[in-house]
C-alpha cells in the first residue's frame, strides 16, 4: 500500500478506497451517489463527514462521539487537526462560537478570479 500512496498516479484513488472502506466498517453510510459525504448515526448523535482529496470536514452534535471517532481514525491514518475552520475549498468561514453563528464567503475567490482575467 505504501507504493500506491506515495508513488503512483492512483494514490488519491487508493487512499480514498482505503478510507471509504474503513468508514463503512466503522458504521458510516455514504450520502448520495457522489461518494464524498458520509453520515454516522448513533441514537440521536450524528457525525457528518465530507471528503475532498485528502481534506475532510466534520460536523457533529455530539463532541464525545466526535472525539472517539477522531481517536479511532488516528489509529489507522495520520491526521492533522487544523483547529477552528477558517477556509475550506475556497470558501472563507467565520464562526462565532459565543453567538452560535457561521458566515460563509467566497469574496476572496471572486476577487482572485477577476484578477486572473484582468478585471480587477
Amino acid at each position: 500500500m505504501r507504493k500506491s500512496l506515495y508513488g503512483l498516479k492512483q494514490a488519491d484513488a487508493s487512499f480514498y478506497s482505503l478510507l471509504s472502506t474503513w468508514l463503512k466498517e466503522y458504521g458510516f453510510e455514504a450520502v448520495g451517489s457522489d461518494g464524498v459525504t458520509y453520515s454516522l448515526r448513533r441514537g440521536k448523535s450524528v457525525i457528518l463527514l465530507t471528503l475532498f482529496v485528502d481534506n475532510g470536514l466534520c460536523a457533529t452534535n455530539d463532541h464525545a462521539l466526535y472525539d472517539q471517532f477522531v481517536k479511532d481514525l488516528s489509529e489507522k491514518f495520520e491526521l492533522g487537526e487544523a483547529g477552528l475552520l477558517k477556509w475550506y475549498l475556497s470558501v472563507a468561514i467565520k464562526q462565532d462560537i459565543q453567538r452560535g453563528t457561521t458566515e460563509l464567503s467566497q469574496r476572496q475567490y471572486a476577487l482572485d478570479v477577476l484578477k486572473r482575467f484582468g478585471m480587477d
Side-chain angles (χ1 to χ4, degrees):
M1 190 59 156
R2 177 175 294 270
K3 185 174 182 183
S4 69
L5 290 177
Y6 296 106
L8 301 176
K9 290 181 181 178
Q10 306 93 319
D12 290 339
S14 294
F15 173 75
Y16 178 79
S17 177
L18 182 66
L19 178 59
S20 178
T21 299
W22 186 89
L23 289 170
K24 289 174 184 173
E25 289 172 356
Y26 196 81
F28 278 85
E29 294 182 8
V31 175
S33 61
D34 61 2
V36 297
T37 305
Y38 294 85
S39 69
L40 175 70
R41 297 182 186 278
R42 300 232 171 111
K44 292 184 178 183
S45 299
V46 177
I47 295 177
L48 299 175
L49 172 65
T50 186
L51 304 170
F52 183 76
V53 186
D54 62 352
N55 290 302
L57 179 63
C58 279
T60 186
N61 64 348
D62 184 330
H63 292 286
L65 179 61
Y66 171 79
D67 291 342
Q68 185 61 51
F69 164 66
V70 170
K71 180 181 177 284
D72 295 340
L73 184 64
S74 68
E75 290 175 3
K76 181 72 174 175
F77 301 95
E78 185 177 331
L79 300 180
E81 184 124 13
L84 198 58
L85 187 63
K86 295 181 182 169
W87 287 93
Y88 191 73
L89 303 179
S90 299
V91 176
I93 301 164
K94 183 178 177 185
Q95 299 178 60
D96 186 329
I97 303 300
Q98 304 269 321
R99 293 187 339 199
T101 61
T102 302
E103 296 176 28
L104 305 176
S105 172
Q106 285 192 294
R107 181 180 188 281
Q108 188 60 51
Y109 175 75
L111 291 173
D112 292 345
V113 169
L114 290 171
K115 185 175 183 175
R116 185 176 342 142
F117 290 100
M119 299 173 68
D120 52 340

